[in-house]
Amino acid sequence: MPLVSAAHSRTTERLGSHLKRAEQALNATKTAVLKPAGPTVAQYAALLHLSDNPGISAAALARLCGVTPPTMNTVLKNLQDRALITRSPHEWHKNVLETRLTDEGRAVMAEADTAAVRVERALAAEFTDAEREALTGLLARCVRALGEQRPGSS
């Protein structure tokens, strides 16, 4: 009996595995629903932020999307190859490229966003207003607590 309770205790203490499973389920579902529109989840995130921030730099976009600048450059190269974005030198900062959606990029983003919003709404519908508020607060606490555990964060 002690082995079962010790194993159960270890499992319940591993909140990270539950967070990871939820994240994986969300990404797998979004990957599936975005497929008809064409973008990956990372590309969709970039298109979404670009639609709200035309002209944003790759570095700023990487911060918004929570990825590294090299990863964002790969995402942007793929979007540019598909003619969904354009990149041009900033008027004053010639080393900074401004990134904007093309007409095709706006169309793909709109189609992808419709699918992604359906997923988000279905997920939200699983919870009452109070539960959603509590979950959001609990996840924010997770982010804060994990940030405090990161070396060099003090």
Side-chain angles (χ1 to χ4, degrees):
M1 187 73 149
L3 287 176
V4 171
S5 67
H8 177 71
S9 177
R10 274 196 309 274
T11 303
T12 58
E13 289 176 6
R14 309 283 174 138
L15 292 177
S17 65
H18 296 284
L19 291 169
K20 183 67 174 178
R21 284 180 37 222
E23 179 190 31
Q24 288 172 329
L26 178 61
N27 279 333
T29 301
K30 282 191 174 178
T31 295
V33 302
L34 292 174
K35 193 169 191 136
T40 64
V41 173
Q43 291 170 350
Y44 164 69
L47 292 171
L48 183 63
H49 286 295
L50 281 168
S51 70
D52 292 335
N53 303 282
I56 192 170
S57 70
L61 190 57
R63 285 190 294 277
L64 284 175
C65 292
V67 298
T68 64
T71 297
M72 183 51 63
N73 282 328
T74 300
V75 168
L76 293 176
K77 181 189 179 320
N78 290 331
L79 291 173
Q80 193 170 18
D81 289 349
R82 292 183 55 207
L84 301 180
I85 63 166
T86 59
R87 301 183 78 193
S88 57
H90 187 277
E91 185 178 347
W92 303 302
H93 306 286
K94 298 301 178 193
N95 293 336
V96 174
L97 292 177
E98 292 184 325
T99 306
R100 297 180 191 286
L101 295 176
T102 62
D103 289 341
E104 177 68 14
R106 278 187 284 285
V108 167
M109 200 291 298
E111 181 183 349
D113 196 47
T114 297
V117 166
R118 258 194 320 271
V119 169
E120 294 285 348
R121 286 184 180 154
L123 180 59
E126 289 294 314
F127 303 96
T128 65
D129 290 346
E131 287 172 331
R132 277 191 305 278
E133 189 174 323
L135 180 59
T136 301
L138 292 169
L139 291 171
R141 277 177 43 200
C142 288
V143 170
R144 188 193 76 246
L146 291 169
E148 290 170 357
Q149 294 300 310
R150 198 174 307 127
S153 64
S154 312

